[in-house]
Amino acid sequence: MGEQRKILCIADGSHECRTAVLFGAERAMRNGSALVIMCVINSADNSLVSALGAGVLEELRLEALDNLQELSQIVKQRTGIVPQLLIKEGEIHQALRECINEDAAIKTLLLAAASSKKGPGPLVVEATRGTMALGVRPIAIMIVPEELSDSEISELAS
């Protein structure tokens, strides 16, 4: 039998991110998968980093780590799963491609659709239009609605 299958969630600080992570944790618990939570620090704007100093990038890393650890604690308390935590730098699409290409065990990308007037979010829009190029191999993309209650998350994840 091969390596344990993994579900990848993106931690971006949004409200819908929590829904995606909790759904991913419930799903992973039920089907024996591992959960990966990735935060991407957009360091592409070198002028911003230069203007504000190199310490800004370190602050962004620490903030990302705090966010990931908070999500990890929630996941562990709720499901007993200890997720794998990743911090990548760069543009979100490139970071997603690299992560998926580097880890063949990632079989599913889990996104949550925002319920705001601005739309469901850029990654969800790309995924539903079929314009999201994620890597050299196909993976499943699951999209869950942001406004799920904890009991609805548990029910749908089963």
Side-chain angles (χ1 to χ4, degrees), residues 27-47:
R27 188 89 175 138
M29 181 181 68
R30 285 175 171 71
N31 70 15
S33 296
L35 180 65
V36 179
I37 308 172
M38 180 176 73
C39 184
V40 180
I41 300 169
N42 191 347
S43 60
D45 188 357
N46 290 332
S47 61

Side-chain angles (χ1 to χ4, degrees), residues 7 9 14 32 48 54 59 61 83 99 136 140 145 156:
I7 299 170
C9 293
S14 66
L48 176 65
E59 283 184 42
R61 282 189 197 108
C99 184
V136 296
L156 287 175

Side-chain angles (χ1 to χ4, degrees), residues 42-118:
N42 191 347
S43 60
D45 188 357
N46 290 332
S47 61
L48 176 65
V49 173
S50 296
L52 299 176
V56 170
L57 194 54
E58 186 57 30
E59 283 184 42
L60 291 172
R61 282 189 197 108
L62 291 173
E63 191 177 301
L65 183 59
D66 285 347
N67 183 29
L68 288 172
Q69 288 175 335
E70 183 179 315
L71 289 168
S72 179
Q73 281 189 316
I74 293 168
V75 167
K76 187 173 182 193
Q77 288 173 353
R78 184 157 169 167
T79 63
I81 291 173
V82 178
Q84 177 184 347
L85 306 177
L86 295 175
I87 297 176
K88 295 253 185 199
E89 290 181 32
E91 192 269 329
I92 184 73
H93 296 87
Q94 183 61 33
L96 271 169
R97 280 189 292 276
E98 287 174 7
C99 184
I100 291 165
N101 289 338
E102 291 168 0
D103 191 345
I106 295 174
K107 304 297 184 190
T108 305
L109 172 62
L110 181 57
L111 303 172
S115 57
S116 75
K117 293 179 183 178
K118 295 179 183 177

Side-chain angles (χ1 to χ4, degrees), residues 2-35:
E3 188 177 0
Q4 183 180 27
R5 298 172 65 89
K6 294 180 181 179
I7 299 170
L8 174 62
C9 293
I10 308 300
D12 62 4
S14 66
H15 182 267
E16 62 267 22
C17 158
R18 180 184 182 277
T19 301
V21 168
L22 290 177
F23 183 90
E26 292 275 346
R27 188 89 175 138
M29 181 181 68
R30 285 175 171 71
N31 70 15
S33 296
L35 180 65

